Amino acid sequence: MLENNSVIVSVFKDNDGELQFFGNEGNISEEDARVISVGEILQINPTLKELLEINAGSHTYR
């Protein structure tokens, strides 16, 4: 997602409150994961702020 500048299409919030953002890429692996701050994600796309309030254990799509 970050390397390809693809659109973020879904967000998952795990039970610990950690967020995972996903683009349209297929065949992603754990090695493709990157750790960045929520602030950095919001600099890339400020409209994601509304998705940050989802409940732990939830997955949302846009």
Side-chain angles (χ1 to χ4, degrees), residues 1-3 19 21 29-37:
M1 179 197 74
L2 292 173
E3 286 83 14
L19 294 160
F21 298 89
S29 67
E30 194 170 322
E31 290 81 32
D32 296 320
R34 303 290 179 269
V35 176
I36 66 171
S37 71

Side-chain angles (χ1 to χ4, degrees), residues 38-51:
V38 170
E40 289 174 293
I41 268 294
L42 293 177
Q43 284 180 343
I44 294 167
N45 187 338
T47 66
L48 293 170
K49 186 174 183 177
E50 63 193 42
L51 301 179

Side-chain angles (χ1 to χ4, degrees), residues 1 3-5 9 11-12 14 17-18 21-22 25 30-31 33 35-38 40 45-46 49 52 57 59-60 62:
M1 179 197 74
E3 286 83 14
N4 297 328
N5 294 319
V9 296
V11 178
F12 175 70
D14 68 20
E18 300 293 325
F21 298 89
F22 298 93
E25 294 80 12
E30 194 170 322
E31 290 81 32
V35 176
I36 66 171
S37 71
V38 170
E40 289 174 293
N45 187 338
K49 186 174 183 177
L52 301 180
H59 200 164
T60 189
R62 48 183 252 152

